Amino acid sequence: MPLFDRDGRSVRLPAPGRAFRVHAERILADAEAARAAIADMRGLTSGFLSLGGIHTFNHSIQMPELSIFTRDYPGISIRVDELSTPEIEERLAVGQLDFGVGVPPALSSEIVDDPLIEEAYVAVIARARSHDSRPDARFADISAMPLAMLSRGFATRRLIDRLWESARQSPTIRIETNSIGALVDLVAMSELTTILPRSITMGDARVFAIGLVDPTPRRGCALFWRRGAHRSAAALAFASRIVEASAASASLHVSRQ
């Protein structure tokens, strides 16, 4: 069966080509894993590490740990992509990532997830509005405010949507965006409120976090691995650092609450 459609200078994949491509990518990924297994015998003196992570985890834990890891192991090249959880699963399945950090549970049977941390969501407002704000607020009261929210493609937004649906609430969402950075910037300079994981607000003096009660939304993060795939020495070494940093971050959240 034809695997390519050639039209002048362009090449497209018909259905057989797309089906073959999935298996070809896995074969190449397995070959790379075999090379990585041999390279592991040299220790952590060289190699390549490909990582994926959701924005909040990249910002609060993964990037700070990477800065230390690259100092300790300068011979290892690293690529980091900021991805949604479904994108992490897709790339793991075809061997494009060593591991990722996403929101569990994994939806694909090809992926296993190891829990890392669970954190509470908070209402986020501009620091200038904090003088008359209480440390905690009812979820329903925050939902009645003019809101700026992440778009529906984010796991963070889907969790909040499910709470609104179960409570039969109709929030007033003025602005939606697919950029967490832009969302925090917007809230910092406006009268709008948003709902995000607590870790996003830590270290940003422009915004103020209000705890949510009745209910307190919570989100987990987990290490995502391709089931049965080789785990390189570099991947295992960095994953162990992620586990330790997550445990430390969880303790810090508890102490601040």
Side-chain angles (χ1 to χ4, degrees):
M1 301 181 73
L3 299 181
F4 304 94
D5 281 340
R6 293 182 173 86
D7 181 14
R9 295 183 179 180
S10 64
V11 178
R12 296 184 301 106
L13 292 180
R18 292 195 298 272
F20 183 80
R21 176 179 179 175
V22 173
H23 297 281
E25 287 177 335
R26 290 179 180 174
I27 290 169
L28 292 173
D30 287 339
E32 180 59 34
R35 286 191 288 270
I38 300 301
D40 283 350
M41 295 181 181
R42 297 194 301 267
L44 295 172
T45 58
S46 64
F48 178 74
L49 189 57
S50 180
L51 309 171
I54 55 176
H55 173 93
T56 51
F57 198 86
N58 274 351
H59 171 77
S60 60
I61 293 179
Q62 188 149 270
M63 289 305 179
E65 287 302 312
L66 273 175
S67 66
I68 302 172
F69 189 81
T70 54
R71 182 196 64 198
D72 293 343
Y73 304 105
I76 297 177
S77 300
I78 302 172
R79 174 187 172 94
V80 184
D81 288 320
E82 191 166 290
L83 305 166
S84 67
T85 298
E87 288 172 332
I88 290 172
E89 292 198 40
E90 290 171 7
R91 295 202 189 185
L92 280 169
V94 297
Q96 294 178 354
L97 297 177
D98 288 286
F99 69 84
V101 178
V103 179
L107 300 179
S108 170
S109 60
E110 295 185 66
I111 308 300
V112 294
D113 57 73
D114 299 331
L116 278 175
I117 187 175
E118 183 178 82
E119 62 177 326
Y121 284 64
V122 294
V124 184
I125 62 174
R127 176 71 60 175
R129 299 172 55 200
S130 64
H131 62 277
D132 56 356
S133 297
R134 297 180 179 180
D136 296 305
R138 293 176 63 249
F139 179 78
D141 294 337
I142 295 297
S143 301
M145 298 178 177
L147 298 171
M149 296 293 296
L150 288 172
S151 53
R152 296 177 185 273
F154 286 80
T156 292
R157 171 65 186 278
R158 292 195 297 271
L159 184 149
I160 299 301
D161 281 349
R162 288 195 294 271
L163 290 177
W164 282 328
E165 290 170 6
S166 62
R168 297 183 179 180
Q169 295 175 339
S170 299
T172 304
I173 300 176
R174 298 282 179 82
I175 297 178
E176 293 180 294
T177 176
N178 66 349
S179 168
I180 293 179
L183 179 62
V184 175
D185 289 344
L186 175 65
V187 168
M189 63 180 69
S190 73
E191 296 294 313
L192 296 173
T193 301
T194 192
I195 301 174
L196 290 170
R198 181 178 290 275
S199 60
I200 295 178
T201 67
M202 296 177 66
D204 193 330
R206 302 173 303 157
V207 296
F208 181 77
I210 301 172
L212 293 174
V213 297
D214 192 27
T216 300
R218 294 185 178 276
R219 181 197 69 176
C221 285
L223 287 173
F224 280 50
W225 303 88
R226 179 184 167 196
R227 188 182 300 277
H230 172 73
R231 300 185 183 185
S232 69
L236 291 172
F238 185 62
S240 68
R241 296 194 178 204
I242 290 294
V243 171
E244 292 175 3
S246 297
S249 176
S251 298
L252 180 61
H253 288 174
V254 170
S255 66
R256 291 195 174 188
Q257 291 173 7

